Amino acid sequence: MVSIKDIAKQAGVSISTVSYALNNSPKVTLETKTRILAVAKELNYVPNAAARQLKKQESLIIGAFLTDFSGAFYGDLLQGMKEVVNRKGYDLIVCSGKQSHRLLPERMIDGAIILDSAFSDEELLEYADRGHRLVVLDRELRHDNINQVLLDNKAGANLAMDYLIENGHRKLYIVCGPPDSYDSRQRLTAVRQTLDRHPEVEAVFLEGDFNKASGEAAGKKILSELSGEPPGVFCLNDEMAIGLFQTVQDHGKGIGVDLSLVGFDNIDLTRYLSPRLATIEYSKHRWGAMASQQLLQMISGEQVEHERIYVSLVEGESVRPRGAES
Amino acid sequence: MVSIKDIAKQAGVSISTVSYALNNSPKVTLETKTRILAVAKELNYVPNAAARQLKKQESLIIGAFLTDFSGAFYGDLLQGMKEVVNRKGYDLIVCSGKQSHRLLPERMIDGAIILDSAFSDEELLEYADRGHRLVVLDRELRHDNINQVLLDNKAGANLAMDYLIENGHRKLYIVCGPPDSYDSRQRLTAVRQTLDRHPEVEAVFLEGDFNKASGEAAGKKILSELSGEPPGVFCLNDEMAIGLFQTVQDHGKGIGVDLSLVGFDNIDLTRYLSPRLATIEYSKHRWGAMASQQLLQMISGEQVEHERIYVSLVEGESVRPRGAES
DNA sequence: ACCTTAAATCGAAACGTTTATATTAAACAA
DNA sequence: TTGTTTAATATAAACGTTTCGATTTAAGGT
């Protein structure tokens, strides 16, 4: 492996001079600098990341930790993260699975963005205590070395509920997410608040785990109870909504006809559905970019600028006005 | 930062003994080993990856390089890669973008799996010359340090074409992929071979770039030419097929009625289409697993076992029998 | 001419490991 | 006892950088 030492020998200078030249420090004269660079190129020199990292205690790498690589949801998010870190000379790597957690404490990365319930709060707090900088996207955690970029889940859930109610639905099904999910809990809290404001609305809560299958199960349940006025259904994420969507259609019933349906997240997939799925949208790209920005600000010691990720309602024919207006 | 040195001091032994103990070498006696481990735990010791890597010249990290993070396609593939490398004590990181290429020559990773046309053949060959181990999924490249896991593109394209022809279609549209894509070229070659065997079939080639938009464009073109017997359409990947699918439906025409459609890749999305899209399927999980396996075998100097990724036809109502049987 | 100052380069230590070799201590054989 | 072998531990070098402080060289001031 060709190292700085080889360049030094070849160019007839000391290794420190080579190092300065390669990092183009003003300490070295232009003439020697160009000579050294020429030699470096000639020898096909590539710096050794491990050595640099050992000495400088930084890797210029940011890690994004995800629950899985399934992606439909993550594409834009990761793209947003990547653009920001690249702009500052960092690289983004994506990791998944408990085994790769080690990259953080072993200092292989300069900071991490967490969207992975496989990390416990305690684990994250311990890393933070050790001095690692984190941005969490899936929980709230107070620590000097942790920041969070939060989605306005509550506003979203309110929008979804109001949309159904405004369209005249008086019987609502809520398909929940897993209880250990922060997003799910937030959304559910807002649902309850909306219901408190609307005592005239009857609500049924169905279990769910944010996966398609649980949406299908909920769909069957609802179909079996169908009678009278079409109910409104709010699935706490789109993936379940899609499962429910298809189950309903497979049973010969109509989305927007026999029931109204609203999802949450506006994942890409929904664009392929017909009729269009009403859902709650937000910029995943912005969410990722914001996370990266905060992380880099922490790392460089700057003041961290906080910003919420706002949500909005995407209307769709999966919801149609029913019954008496209130 | 607490290092091996601190443990040595605290435990009253030399740093080499600590190192041996932590790597539980048989050289150190059980008693001191347990004492050292106790001290390590007490001090919250975590090894420093950069230092270890610098000395051992290995990182136990494998990198997967993708064109983008969009993912619909990559989920299973990455999962397959990850399972295999994890089983051997390695970690998988996912990277995208030219900027992150540096991780390879700078020896941050022990090997790479490439599915990213942003790498030129020359670039990859140069890395291989430097001693880096690579597995390529999107091209053929001969080098001692490079292996490839190839999809049986040709068999797939043949299956697709034969399926359309067997169903009586005598006019076929082929929606191509980008000419710089290996997969696209392979599939196209097989298409031409099939056509050579079937002089009775008329074929029209339409441009495409593997993205949804180009499928839509092709769909419009085909719609404008619709007359007489319904044609068969083979989109060289599913993404374009979906674009075409929706364009046709949006224009009030029927998939499987006014034309037959076959895709390639069997991406998850197709499960959400109705009628079902006929397509060419293969195990992406297996593809990823095979890539990892080959890479690790190269790294450990074992004999590399090659295996093709076989494909099969998934029938769907997007194709229906037409015209006179041949 | 000599002293001072600045500019360019060098030497050496440090980052935290691993590992080959050396040392010490204990165990055994004669 | 004394020498020999083995087991346990220690010393030191190495991995490839960065960077502080030291040295050399040239230039400028008087």
Side-chain angles (χ1 to χ4, degrees), chain A residues 1 44 46 49 60 69 75 82 86 91 94 96 99-100 102 106-107 130 212 242 246 269 272, chain B residues 1 44 46 49 60 69 75 82 86 91 93-94 96 99-100 102 106-107 130 212 242 246 269 272:
Chain A
M1 179 184 220
N44 262 317
V46 178
L60 298 181
F69 289 127
K82 186 169 101 69
N86 279 354
D91 276 305
V94 184
S96 175
Q99 192 163 158
S100 61
R102 69 170 180 95
E106 293 183 4
R107 312 194 106 84
R130 288 170 184 276
K212 194 180 170 216
I242 289 175
Q246 296 191 314
L269 271 180
Y272 299 98
Chain B
M1 178 185 220
N44 262 316
V46 177
L60 297 181
F69 289 128
K82 186 171 102 67
N86 279 352
D91 276 305
I93 66 174
V94 184
S96 175
Q99 191 162 160
S100 59
R102 68 170 181 96
E106 293 183 3
R107 311 194 106 83
R130 288 170 183 275
K212 193 179 170 219
I242 290 176
Q246 296 193 314
L269 269 180
Y272 299 99

Side-chain angles (χ1 to χ4, degrees), chain A residues 175-181 184-185 188 206-210 236 240:
Chain A
V175 185
C176 305
D180 63 331
S181 154
S184 174
R185 288 198 309 271
L188 205 53
L206 299 178
E207 282 189 359
D209 61 5
F210 276 176
L236 260 49
M240 297 191 298

Side-chain angles (χ1 to χ4, degrees), chain A residues 13-284:
Chain A
V13 295
S14 74
I15 64 163
S16 52
T17 306
V18 174
S19 177
Y20 287 130
L22 291 175
N23 294 291
N24 64 298
S25 146
K27 310 178 92 176
V28 58
T29 196
L30 183 69
E31 186 221 329
T32 51
K33 181 183 299 185
T34 52
R35 182 160 45 100
I36 288 174
L37 291 182
V39 174
K41 183 156 296 171
E42 185 197 330
L43 296 184
N44 262 317
Y45 169 78
V46 178
N48 181 303
R52 176 185 181 285
Q53 188 177 338
L54 176 59
K55 183 64 195 176
K56 302 220 23 169
Q57 308 281 32
E58 69 171 12
S59 65
L60 298 181
I61 298 179
I62 298 298
F65 289 84
L66 305 180
T67 308
D68 57 56
F69 289 127
S70 71
F73 178 83
Y74 301 125
D76 273 350
L77 187 73
L78 293 171
Q79 187 61 30
M81 294 183 194
K82 186 169 101 69
E83 285 171 12
V84 172
V85 304
N86 279 354
R87 209 176 300 136
K88 299 280 184 181
Y90 284 75
D91 276 305
L92 182 76
I93 67 176
V94 184
C95 312
S96 175
K98 245 189 146 20
Q99 192 163 158
S100 61
H101 290 195
R102 69 170 180 95
L103 299 182
L104 187 52
E106 293 183 4
R107 312 194 106 84
M108 189 95 282
I109 56 183
D110 291 346
I113 299 171
I114 311 287
L115 183 53
D116 181 0
S117 50
F119 283 91
S120 70
D121 287 0
E122 297 73 43
E123 186 183 359
L124 292 176
L125 287 169
E126 193 192 323
Y127 295 149
D129 278 341
R130 288 170 184 276
H132 300 286
R133 322 304 175 97
L134 307 173
V135 170
V136 294
L137 264 33
D138 60 350
R139 67 196 80 201
E140 282 180 80
L141 232 40
R142 288 250 152 269
H143 193 288
D144 274 355
N145 285 329
I146 304 183
N147 268 280
Q148 45 239 300
V149 186
L150 297 177
L151 210 57
D152 204 344
N153 280 306
K154 292 191 176 170
N158 278 330
L159 283 171
M161 291 291 286
D162 286 345
Y163 186 47
L164 287 170
I165 295 172
E166 280 163 15
N167 275 278
H169 295 286
R170 289 298 169 267
K171 169 154 191 181
L172 301 183
Y173 288 93
I174 317 297
V175 185
C176 305
D180 63 331
S181 154
Y182 171 80
D183 289 322
S184 174
R185 288 198 309 271
Q186 292 277 303
R187 292 169 194 180
L188 205 53
T189 302
V191 164
R192 293 226 165 82
Q193 288 169 355
T194 305
L195 289 171
D196 285 346
R197 288 199 311 274
H198 291 278
E200 77 279 15
V201 172
E202 175 194 356
V204 178
F205 291 85
L206 299 178
E207 282 189 359
D209 61 5
F210 276 176
N211 291 314
K212 194 180 170 216
S214 64
E216 292 165 358
K220 281 181 192 140
K221 172 83 172 158
I222 294 171
L223 284 171
S224 74
E225 297 182 357
L226 227 47
S227 72
E229 278 294 298
V233 181
F234 176 30
C235 286
L236 260 49
N237 80 349
D238 278 354
E239 201 171 328
M240 297 191 298
I242 289 175
L244 195 145
F245 190 107
Q246 296 191 314
T247 301
V248 169
Q249 287 194 335
D250 289 349
H251 284 71
K253 297 292 184 178
I255 294 287
V257 179
D258 298 292
L259 57 78
S260 283
L261 178 60
V262 184
F264 201 120
D265 283 342
N266 196 27
I267 61 179
D268 275 357
L269 271 180
T270 63
R271 286 186 301 141
Y272 299 98
L273 297 179
S274 156
R276 181 136 36 96
L277 177 69
T279 188
I280 302 299
E281 151 173 84
Y282 50 91
S283 167
K284 290 158 204 71

